[in-house]
Amino acid sequence: MALTAKQIRTGFIDFFKGKGHKFIPSSPIVPVGDETLLFANAGMNQFKDIFLGLKAPECPRVANSQKCLRVSGKHNDLEEVGKDSYHHTFFEMLGNWSFDDYFKAETIEWAWELLTNVWQINPDRLWATVFAGNQNEGLPADSEAAGLWTKVTSIPAERVLRFGKKDNFWEMGDTGPCGPCSEIHIDLGPDACDKKDVPGHKCAVNAGCARFIELWNLVFIQYNRAEDGKLGSLGARYVDTGAGLERIAAVLQAKKSNYDTDLFMPIIEATAEMTGHRYTAQLNNKTDNAFRVIADHIRALTFAITDGAIPSNEGRGYVIRRILRRASRFGRELGMHEPFIYKLVPSVVDCLGGAFGELNTRADYVATVIESEEASFGRTLDRGLEIFNEAAEKTKKRTDRTISGDDAFQLYDTYGFPLDLTELMAAERNLKVDKEKFDELMEEQRARARAAQKSASLIVTLGDVELPSTEDLHKYRTDHCQAAVTGFIEEGSFRDQGRLDMGSEAGVVLDRTCFYAEAGGQVGDCGTIESPGAKFIVETTAKIADCVIHHGKLVEGMLTVGDTVNAVVSKDRNSIRKNHTATHLLQWALQQVLGKSVAQQGSLVCPDYLRFDFTYPKAMTADQKQQVEKLVRDKITADLPVTCAVLPRAEAQKLGAMALFGEKYGDEVRVVAVGTDCEDDLQQAFSKEFCGGTHIDRIGRIGSFKIIKEESISAGVRRITAMTGSPLARYLEDRSAIVDELSVMLKVPAEEMVTRIGKLMEENKKLAKQLKSASRQDGADILGQARALLGKSEKVGDSSIIVGQLPPTNVEQARAAIDMLKKKAKSAAIVLGFADGDKATLLAGVTDDLVKKGLKAGDIIKHIAPIIDGGGGGRPQMAQAGGKNPEKISDALTKAANMIKQQLSSM
């Protein structure tokens, strides 16, 4: 019996455990603390600091199955999904790593052993590739790997092929660690080729067809590329390998397509049951393509949203929105016009929840987010498709067969169609899209981020210098300590010698510190670093790897590396501590009132207030907010102790301590427990959380607590802003002053103010009703005068020319008059004008039959607006203009009548 995907994943990890590797869980698909990357797109992402020399590895050998998403940049498989059998947006990358431990021989030998001995893949079907070298860059061929393939495996030399940089050289970026790679490919046989109809195509490794598929990439990191582009040997040697689980599963389950494996078929079967369509596993079949796209995209959406991504209009949120809308559009191919994608979330959880437990706990939240986004897009999708069809029909008549950038932009701006969706639909009709014009229009309207937000943190160019570690445990014990200056960071570079002169803005690095570096939602501390002859104002504190950086400005004297200094945290620290502990109380209270499904999505802890984002599908009621406030205040009144303890992660999890989803944690974690003063009995605490922040020792010190605002920030995510302590007292004093002022204005005591305001609002409603009634009467008069214009209108054929001036009115009533005249006249061009003091207004309306013949309201208005010293425009059916010269309204109307008559006569 063929292995299941679960057995393959477990077998891979167990194999490498047997080779001395430690299993490391997958990092979140939304990178933590790395804003340079939209999504985790390779297994090495979570080990980047090790490769860069910023962090020492916890273990020299590790293995895992990493959640990956490739939808942007050079790793973008989005457009290929559905068209073939092996491209995906989301996939699992099975990998093993060596951090300056074993190297090429063991890597090649073990990969071959697993594939051929353990998984019993026929070795005669396997091919290997190695780096052929690059003379221009002075890179030698990887003869070592080539020799090892025939030495430590049974593969013959003729199946070890050499390729250039494009296929067999890996680089992290423009600079940094890099090295040759060796790939293992499998020959799936002549029937697997998807390029048989391409003239001149010859099946071969790296020839671009589905017969030869890459199974495993073995990267040997042994060089470092400097900023000048030159390569040098790396001080350490690393191994980074990656094998796609989906491709391995297809081979071991003897399937022609990844989509036929147990990683996709349950989702495809659920889609078939929902839509009534049958999946036949055919390529170049629109229905089957739709099945594959939807199955792929719901996996990507479920994992990305689970790990913290939210559909939005920028950055990674926009990528998620594109994927979701693309899937929604393919749903139309299966007859799905109502939200349905969210109903597939349970199928994804059933397939993959065993390996990734986070899917189980956040499934309801993910479905809520997807359903909301589907419903929003669904309201405009059908109309957008109509607009696209009209644009496509126009394009077919043009020689360049290119949909205009204006039409593509309208689809994006008005109907929410991402450009790639328009390009996809155009390609299906053998049309192109004017992307250059689209980009130009986008730039004119808004400068919007299309990629990852640029990191606001300091980027350090290390060169040959490693950042020193800072001992920062003092942040939990005191707000001042003595330390020594170990270096400065200026203009992105670190130096461990020299001095800092007065007026310099820089980052100061100390050997120890009591400052808390920004992390976990808590802002970095500010304060001062002083020596007998210098004073440095710390404006914020950040951390890179194990180095704490105090950002600020030297306002007095001079600092030199080696100086002994006093680090003093500002008094804001106390307010921050109160707010952080209050945030823990708030999360506990929310779960008591709203249920255990409430999960933290983010937070901000600063001196003046706290902000807490959490999963919940609807707005909290006033009663729910009051219950939460009461629970928090009751605990504050009880003045219970707060205890912090460092525990093994597994032990902390057994205690029920909550972890912030998506955060990175080591083997040991710090637990903040509220309700106990004994580290040996944390179980009795009512609130237990993984937390590295600073807290008060007793919750009575918080003093007071109040929710200031509760709001939605995205589908399924709410945000509470609250205050405590002195900032709350000032806030309440300000509100009390407002109440006192209103009490004087309304001439009632504060306790009667609600009743008085209620009466005023009721009186205001009555007055508004009376005004509306009077307006209706005025409107009736305007409509009556408009009917009179219809009675004396001129006709050209069956079409009426209705032109005239109305008495002073408003735009709404004039528009209503035009709508009425359109209905009564059936076919008409209408221009009305009216004066309001020293302002003039013109409105034009044209019935649809005349619009189709080329007469447009916008053109009429643009033609006559200058006469009243104004301007305007609008749609073909309705347009308006405003001007400064009401005395010229009659002239404008005369010109409009002549223009319309002339155009109608020539039709």
Side-chain angles (χ1 to χ4, degrees):
M1 183 179 291
L3 294 174
T4 64
K6 179 180 178 181
Q7 290 171 326
I8 296 167
R9 182 191 301 111
T10 303
F12 180 92
I13 292 166
D14 288 345
F15 175 83
F16 281 101
K17 279 184 177 179
K19 304 294 185 185
H21 291 63
K22 178 181 178 181
F23 170 67
I24 302 291
S26 170
S27 65
I29 213 166
V30 176
V32 177
D34 186 357
E35 290 299 323
T36 66
L37 192 63
L38 278 175
F39 299 101
N41 58 19
M44 57 75 57
N45 292 152
Q46 68 171 308
F47 306 118
K48 189 163 76 170
D49 284 351
I50 296 174
F51 293 144
L52 291 172
L54 295 171
K55 181 180 177 182
E58 295 178 13
C59 181
R61 300 180 180 187
V62 300
N64 84 346
S65 182
Q66 172 65 43
K67 302 176 287 187
C68 296
L69 192 62
R70 290 188 175 177
V71 285
S72 60
K74 69 177 183 178
H75 296 299
N76 186 354
D77 292 336
L78 182 62
E79 299 307 317
E80 302 304 317
V81 171
K83 297 177 183 178
D84 59 29
S85 61
Y86 54 90
H87 276 102
H88 308 292
T89 53
F90 170 83
F91 63 97
E92 286 183 62
M93 183 76 86
L94 303 171
N96 59 291
W97 288 266
S98 165
F99 304 122
D100 206 21
D101 186 28
Y102 63 84
F103 204 43
K104 296 180 184 179
E106 296 90 338
T107 304
I108 292 170
E109 182 179 0
W110 292 340
W112 189 260
E113 179 185 347
L114 179 57
L115 292 174
T116 62
N117 293 356
V118 179
W119 285 339
Q120 295 291 300
I121 295 175
N122 183 350
D124 293 338
R125 299 169 63 195
L126 299 179
W127 295 66
T129 67
V130 297
F131 181 49
N134 186 300
Q135 288 186 350
N136 293 335
E137 297 193 24
L139 282 170
D142 193 359
S143 301
E144 179 186 4
L148 285 167
W149 272 110
T150 55
K151 179 180 179 182
V152 301
T153 80
S154 61
I155 195 170
E158 60 268 22
R159 291 214 308 275
V160 179
L161 309 179
R162 290 163 172 76
F163 289 91
K165 271 189 70 178
K166 177 178 176 293
D167 296 303
N168 282 85
F169 196 86
W170 177 89
E171 298 190 72
M172 181 182 290
D174 294 334
T175 61
C178 54
C181 61
S182 188
E183 296 178 341
I184 303 173
H185 295 250
I186 186 167
D187 181 357
L188 299 176
D191 290 343
C193 178
D194 55 355
K195 298 289 177 65
K196 294 175 182 177
D197 298 331
V198 177
H201 173 73
K202 184 178 179 181
C203 293
V205 172
N206 288 333
C209 77
R211 174 176 173 177
F212 290 88
I213 296 292
E214 176 197 332
L215 283 184
W216 204 339
N217 189 13
L218 318 176
V219 180
F220 307 120
I221 305 171
Q222 61 191 89
Y223 300 114
N224 183 64
R225 189 178 293 279
E227 288 189 0
D228 60 6
K230 293 181 179 178
L231 286 168
S233 295
L234 201 61
R237 300 189 305 176
Y238 304 114
V239 170
D240 166 18
T241 86
L245 173 62
E246 291 76 9
R247 294 185 180 187
I248 296 287
V251 171
L252 296 182
Q253 294 175 14
K255 301 296 183 182
K256 293 181 179 180
S257 165
N258 296 358
Y259 292 95
D260 297 339
T261 68
D262 59 347
L263 289 166
F264 290 91
M265 281 310 297
I267 303 169
I268 289 174
E269 288 166 358
T271 307
E273 185 176 346
M274 197 185 308
T275 63
H277 286 263
R278 181 167 162 266
Y279 179 65
T280 61
Q282 300 297 309
L283 298 178
N284 302 317
N285 177 297
K286 289 182 70 174
T287 298
D288 286 349
N289 285 359
F291 272 108
R292 286 188 287 270
V293 169
I294 291 166
D296 172 273
H297 288 9
I298 186 57
R299 286 173 21 119
L301 292 167
T302 301
F303 274 92
I305 296 171
T306 292
D307 282 3
I310 293 290
S312 70
N313 278 335
E314 58 184 49
R316 58 175 63 100
Y318 182 55
V319 174
I320 296 305
R321 175 162 285 168
R322 284 169 54 204
I323 294 172
L324 202 156
R325 293 185 171 185
R326 196 169 186 269
S328 184
R329 183 263 167 180
F330 273 96
R332 293 300 197 267
E333 300 284 352
L334 303 179
M336 302 304 290
H337 291 267
E338 297 297 326
F340 76 99
I341 302 168
Y342 75 97
K343 296 178 183 177
L344 296 171
V345 172
S347 297
V348 179
V349 175
D350 288 344
C351 281
L352 296 160
F356 304 100
E358 60 271 19
L359 297 181
N360 301 298
T361 58
R362 293 169 71 83
D364 291 343
Y365 162 68
V366 171
T368 297
V369 172
I370 293 176
E371 183 182 14
S372 174
E373 182 72 11
E374 276 191 275
S376 173
F377 185 46
R379 286 190 285 270
T380 61
L381 177 55
D382 288 325
R383 178 58 184 149
L385 290 172
E386 290 177 19
I387 297 297
F388 172 80
N389 289 334
E390 291 172 9
E393 286 303 312
K394 284 190 301 182
T395 302
K396 286 179 181 178
K397 299 173 185 177
R398 302 214 306 252
T399 54
D400 62 359
R401 296 182 66 82
T402 300
I403 292 174
S404 72
D406 296 271
D407 286 334
F409 184 75
Q410 182 192 10
L411 283 166
Y412 164 80
D413 193 44
T414 307
Y415 300 102
F417 278 46
L419 177 62
D420 55 3
L421 180 54
T422 302
E423 289 178 317
L424 170 70
M425 294 189 299
E428 290 174 351
R429 302 188 184 203
N430 294 317
L431 304 175
K432 295 181 292 185
V433 177
D434 185 352
K435 188 174 183 299
E436 187 175 331
K437 179 63 176 177
F438 176 90
D439 290 340
E440 181 184 316
L441 292 170
M442 277 293 295
E443 192 58 35
E444 286 177 8
Q445 177 168 302
R446 68 177 76 88
R448 200 189 57 164
R450 299 176 186 273
Q453 294 178 353
K454 303 238 179 183
S455 175
S457 63
L458 186 66
I459 298 173
V460 180
T461 304
L462 295 174
D464 295 328
V465 180
E466 290 189 9
L467 287 175
S469 295
T470 308
E471 194 276 286
D472 65 344
L473 291 177
H474 297 280
K475 64 191 177 190
Y476 297 128
R477 306 175 188 137
T478 181
D479 57 6
H480 62 278
C481 71
Q482 194 173 79
V485 177
T486 58
F488 307 112
I489 295 176
E490 290 183 283
E491 298 180 354
S493 295
F494 172 75
R495 54 188 174 91
D496 57 1
Q497 54 188 337
R499 68 186 191 189
L500 197 65
D501 294 321
M502 190 171 72
S504 297
E505 294 184 3
V508 173
V509 180
L510 307 176
D511 65 337
R512 67 183 66 188
T513 186
C514 53
F515 280 70
Y516 179 86
E518 181 176 351
Q522 180 174 329
V523 298
D525 282 334
C526 54
T528 60
I529 295 173
E530 298 185 57
S531 70
K535 183 176 183 179
F536 183 87
I537 303 295
V538 180
E539 296 167 351
T540 188
T541 310
K543 194 171 187 178
I544 296 178
D546 296 322
C547 178
V548 176
I549 304 163
H550 308 78
H551 297 282
K553 185 174 182 178
L554 187 63
V555 295
E556 292 179 16
M558 177 179 69
L559 271 181
T560 303
V561 172
D563 282 355
T564 298
V565 295
N566 288 313
V568 182
V569 178
S570 78
K571 293 180 180 178
D572 283 342
R573 158 74 71 83
N574 198 39
S575 294
I576 293 172
R577 291 166 64 215
K578 289 179 181 179
N579 282 340
H580 203 151
T581 306
T583 302
H584 286 217
L585 298 184
L586 174 59
Q587 178 163 216
W588 166 80
L590 285 169
Q591 291 189 339
Q592 303 306 303
V593 175
L594 304 180
K596 294 297 182 182
S597 62
V598 166
Q600 181 177 348
Q601 284 296 105
S603 65
L604 175 64
V605 179
C606 59
D608 298 325
Y609 62 91
L610 64 93
R611 201 173 68 202
F612 186 76
D613 300 340
F614 60 99
T615 56
Y616 196 63
K618 56 189 176 182
M620 293 175 66
T621 65
D623 182 58
Q624 287 172 331
K625 285 185 276 190
Q626 288 172 5
Q627 288 181 58
V628 168
E629 286 182 328
K630 184 177 186 306
L631 284 171
V632 174
R633 289 172 185 155
D634 286 350
K635 291 297 184 184
I636 291 172
T637 301
D639 192 25
L640 299 171
V642 179
T643 298
C644 303
V646 176
L647 305 170
R649 184 172 58 190
E651 184 180 335
Q653 289 170 331
K654 285 181 183 177
L655 286 171
M658 287 189 293
L660 175 59
F661 185 79
E663 190 60 83
K664 286 183 181 178
Y665 296 103
D667 290 336
E668 288 194 329
V669 295
R670 184 170 180 265
V671 174
V672 174
V674 184
T676 180
D677 57 4
C678 179
E679 287 190 24
D680 296 328
D681 192 14
L682 299 180
Q683 190 63 55
Q684 66 175 303
F686 69 88
S687 166
K688 298 179 283 291
E689 293 189 35
F690 289 21
C691 183
T694 57
H695 291 266
I696 49 178
D697 58 353
R698 301 193 70 87
I699 56 178
R701 300 183 191 278
I702 296 173
S704 54
F705 174 88
K706 181 168 181 58
I707 294 173
I708 305 302
K709 187 194 300 184
E710 190 269 346
E711 59 190 324
S712 170
I713 58 169
S714 64
V717 181
R718 311 294 301 177
R719 170 174 287 172
I720 280 178
T721 303
M723 300 178 82
T724 69
S726 299
L728 175 57
R730 290 193 295 271
Y731 172 85
L732 295 175
E733 285 172 6
D734 291 343
R735 293 304 180 272
S736 178
I738 293 171
V739 171
D740 292 343
E741 188 176 347
L742 286 172
S743 179
V744 172
M745 289 173 63
L746 298 172
K747 299 179 181 178
V748 293
E751 57 269 24
E752 297 177 14
M753 198 176 298
V754 173
T755 302
R756 176 67 178 133
I757 291 174
K759 287 181 179 179
L760 287 173
M761 291 178 70
E762 193 60 39
E763 290 171 8
N764 187 56
K765 283 182 182 177
K766 290 179 181 178
L767 287 172
K769 194 177 290 185
Q770 292 171 6
L771 285 170
K772 194 172 183 180
S773 177
S775 176
R776 270 200 294 265
Q777 183 59 47
D778 291 343
D781 293 341
I782 294 297
L783 291 176
Q785 294 199 36
R787 286 192 197 94
L789 292 174
L790 174 61
K792 54 186 179 182
S793 64
E794 185 178 354
K795 278 204 168 190
V796 175
D798 293 329
S799 302
S800 300
I801 303 173
I802 308 170
V803 178
Q805 184 165 348
L806 301 175
T809 182
N810 57 49
V811 170
E812 288 74 20
Q813 290 180 354
R815 282 178 174 267
I818 288 178
D819 289 338
M820 179 271 293
L821 290 171
K822 282 183 178 181
K823 289 178 182 177
K824 287 190 172 293
K826 307 298 183 186
S827 176
I830 307 154
V831 183
L832 303 178
F834 65 88
D836 184 7
D838 59 353
K839 295 180 181 177
T841 301
L842 297 170
L843 291 96
V846 179
T847 53
D848 288 339
D849 63 314
L850 298 182
V851 169
K852 289 178 181 177
K853 293 179 181 180
L855 184 61
K856 298 178 181 179
D859 293 342
I860 297 171
I861 284 296
K862 288 176 183 176
H863 195 64
I864 63 175
I867 297 173
I868 59 168
D869 298 335
R875 295 178 294 110
Q877 291 84 1
M878 180 77 78
Q880 74 179 66
K884 306 173 185 175
N885 195 345
E887 294 178 1
K888 293 287 187 178
I889 290 177
S890 178
D891 294 346
L893 294 174
T894 299
K895 187 167 185 178
N898 292 335
M899 174 187 172
I900 294 167
K901 185 175 181 181
Q902 184 178 356
Q903 287 201 37
L904 289 179
S905 298
S906 64
M907 287 180 181

